[in-house]
Amino acid sequence: MSAVPVRICLLGPVAVLGEDGQPVDVGGPRARALLARLAVEPGRVVGLDTLIEAVWDADPPAAPGNAVQALVSRLRRALPAVPLRAQ
């Protein structure tokens, strides 16, 4: 897998910097929580239950799978060079 031209900062507030060093808006706190959870295990499959817990803790929405997919879609639009794949 080739290098992705973004930097994901996880210490402190979750932030994404483009290859030019400028901040990239990836969305609100839920999208940033999802991205952070995925970033700690690059190249690995992260299960749906793990993602739901990372984003909503003990209070998930009625259709959490659909909500995760919506967040993934948002991240894909914000970070088209980052390979987010479903398994």
Side-chain angles (χ1 to χ4, degrees), residues 22-75:
Q22 295 300 309
V24 176
D25 181 11
V26 294
R30 290 185 179 133
R32 291 191 309 273
L34 177 65
L35 180 62
R37 184 60 187 88
L38 292 169
V40 298
E41 295 195 55
R44 294 187 178 177
V45 175
V46 180
L48 181 60
D49 290 340
T50 301
L51 296 176
I52 292 166
E53 183 177 340
V55 175
W56 290 280
D57 195 25
D59 191 25
N66 292 341
V68 168
Q69 184 56 47
L71 290 172
V72 168
S73 294
R74 191 174 307 155
L75 289 176

Side-chain angles (χ1 to χ4, degrees), residues 5-7 9 15-26 79:
V6 298
R7 178 179 293 168
C9 305
V16 179
L17 304 176
E19 64 183 325
D20 60 359
Q22 295 300 309
V24 176
D25 181 11
V26 294
L79 304 168

